[in-house]
Amino acid sequence: MRYVRLGATGLNVSRICLGMMGYGNPPDPGHPYWESWHLDQDAAEPIVLRAAEAGVTFYDTADMYAQGASERITGALLTKVFPRREDYVLSTKVYYPMGPGPNDRGLSRRHILDSIDASLERLGTDYVDLYQIHRWDNETPIEETMQALHDVVRAGKARYIGASSMYAWQFAKAQHTAQSAGWTRFVSMQNHYNLLYREEEREMIPLCSDQGVGVLPYSPLARGLLTGTRARGGRGSTARSGNDPLADERYAEADFDIVDALHTLAAGHARPAAQIALAWLLSKPNVTAPVLGATKPQHIDDAIAALDITLDEEHTALLETPYRPHPVIGHD
């Protein structure tokens, strides 16, 4: 495993972050945040153990994943796997509805302060290393949000704050608001970025590079399209890929030209396509750590192997040339 600083901070994180979204069936299978492919704690444990053994120290979840069940499993497994709380870096998020009331969502001061306490209780810890806003809140003044996040840091409940999926102008506005008031600024951006969706290269990633902000791409394997679990025409070979409306919304048939190029290159290297796709992402100078979803220990092995793959200019051009612009999606 390799370790890097998170943006311009002094915090070291592993170059692979294990995303915990797929863990934690809630008690009610009819809940809107429940998915049939979620793993319970027993099924998730060998994956987290494999990650820890491989040197992964960075783990990412959110309060809304399985309506809090992901945080509970994350806290229980990390406490079991690591001898000390200081041995791993833990991040979670706030924004999405966590109850039926109008104040049970968003980025108001009330919801942020309520949510951090609820997350810490579910995670079984006194603090998170990184507290992220899951989306931009159009209904709350950014001044209110940034001051509340600053107070969370001052209270010792979060060491750093980060953001996820928004327009570059919104991120710049939030950073300026915090800096002008002397409040805590975001140190990371968790955005949608992979071989099939590169719109973040236009504005957000250059902004992060200029501001010393770490980039933590989510969906680095495009919800399985880059691994071969989905084929042209929307056919899926796994439980998740066979019923994934978000993949249908975010990716187009033309994207399979890139998938075909990826598989050609992977075959030439005698490597799984996932390793080559992750190697491409890891080669980008602004990327700190892809947030990898893993439902099998092999997924961890592929991510670790990708760290040792170097793509030359010819290989990179083969992967990048078929790219076609996409509508900007995922921010709302």
Side-chain angles (χ1 to χ4, degrees), residues 102-256:
N103 289 311
D104 294 332
R105 65 199 68 198
L107 298 176
S108 68
R109 179 178 183 84
R110 171 173 171 169
H111 185 58
I112 287 173
L113 297 184
D114 287 346
S115 294
I116 185 62
D117 287 341
S119 286
L120 293 178
E121 181 178 2
R122 287 188 291 265
L123 289 164
T125 184
D126 295 330
Y127 69 95
V128 292
D129 298 279
L130 182 64
Y131 198 45
Q132 302 163 97
I133 60 170
H134 215 152
R135 290 296 185 272
W136 180 269
D137 184 356
N138 288 310
E139 298 182 0
T140 302
I142 190 58
E143 293 81 3
E144 178 177 341
T145 296
M146 298 309 295
Q147 185 174 22
L149 291 171
H150 177 67
D151 289 343
V152 168
V153 173
R154 289 192 64 188
K157 298 177 181 180
R159 302 291 170 82
Y160 303 90
I161 59 172
S164 178
S165 275
M166 62 183 64
Y167 293 99
W169 71 262
Q170 293 171 327
F171 192 53
K173 181 178 182 179
Q175 295 288 67
H176 176 73
T177 299
Q179 183 170 350
S180 298
W183 298 331
T184 306
R185 300 171 78 245
F186 293 124
V187 303
S188 63
M189 166 54 63
Q190 187 171 147
N191 52 353
H192 181 204
Y193 184 37
N194 56 51
L195 262 173
L196 303 186
Y197 186 84
R198 294 168 49 200
E199 300 308 304
E200 296 290 285
E201 292 177 349
R202 301 182 189 279
E203 294 187 3
M204 180 59 80
I205 291 178
L207 173 62
C208 290
S209 177
D210 178 73
Q211 297 293 306
V213 171
V215 175
L216 309 172
Y218 72 80
S219 200
L221 297 175
R223 304 181 75 86
L225 269 74
L226 293 171
T227 69
T229 60
R230 291 172 63 94
R232 293 180 187 269
R235 299 182 304 277
S237 61
T238 64
R240 181 177 183 180
S241 64
N243 181 25
D244 190 0
L246 269 182
D248 297 332
E249 171 190 323
R250 292 181 176 181
Y251 306 111
E253 194 74 8
D255 292 329
F256 282 96

Side-chain angles (χ1 to χ4, degrees), residues 16 26 28 35 53 65 101 141 151 171 175 192 194 204 214 233 241 244 271 283 290 292 300 302 321:
I16 299 296
D28 177 14
E35 300 288 353
E53 289 173 343
Y65 295 161
D151 289 343
F171 192 53
Q175 295 288 67
H192 181 204
N194 56 51
M204 180 59 80
S241 64
D244 190 0
R271 296 268 194 171
S283 73
L292 176 76
I300 302 297
D302 284 338
T321 299

